[in-house]
Amino acid sequence: MKEAHALTDILLHACVEGEGSLPPTEPGEGECWIVGPGAGGAWSGHDGALAGYQGGNWLFIKPKTGMQVVDRAASQTLFFAKGWQRISAVPPASGGHTVDAEARSTLAKLIEALELAKLLPPSAGNI
């Protein structure tokens, strides 16, 4: 029963300290991490999972499509869609004689980022 409460706590407070392939040497109670590729130590075999430290043990949650967490280290929301995804910064248009082409490129990247974050539905060409 305690494990069920701990797993619920991890999922309800979806914040991670960051991503790593090895567990921290002295994790704090309630810390949660994204297990990076090639994980070792207590995280071995759990690549991509959420690892929460509760009651002196690591608990692992296999992510599902649509899950979101806040990465405290990066101050960014990540979401799971065939792996953990981060939205890239959209470059500003730099001006000059090709403003129209740059504006179109910037808008296309912005739309792609919003679709990737599931803030916009996929356009007809991305279904």
Side-chain angles (χ1 to χ4, degrees):
M1 186 62 137
K2 287 183 179 184
E3 184 174 333
H5 288 300
L7 292 171
T8 300
D9 183 50
I10 292 167
L11 291 170
L12 286 176
H13 304 100
C15 289
V16 296
E17 304 303 318
E19 181 176 342
S21 295
L22 292 172
T25 54
E26 295 184 28
E29 185 68 19
E31 278 189 14
C32 190
W33 293 81
I34 292 175
V35 179
W43 291 358
S44 182
H46 295 282
D47 296 16
L50 294 177
Y53 192 74
Q54 300 276 343
N57 296 302
W58 288 105
L59 302 174
F60 299 96
I61 298 171
K62 183 178 178 182
K64 304 279 187 212
T65 298
M67 287 181 74
Q68 294 185 13
V69 296
V70 174
D71 181 341
R72 291 181 185 177
S75 296
Q76 184 178 30
T77 299
L78 283 73
F79 61 94
F80 192 84
K82 298 179 184 175
W84 289 104
Q85 307 290 320
R86 296 177 187 270
I87 300 297
S88 302
V90 177
S94 60
H97 292 89
T98 57
V99 174
D100 187 54
E102 289 176 359
R104 288 177 189 271
S105 174
T106 298
L107 286 172
K109 289 178 183 176
L110 179 60
I111 290 168
E112 180 182 348
L114 291 171
E115 288 174 351
L116 191 60
K118 307 296 186 213
L119 296 173
L120 287 177
S123 60
N126 295 334
I127 295 177

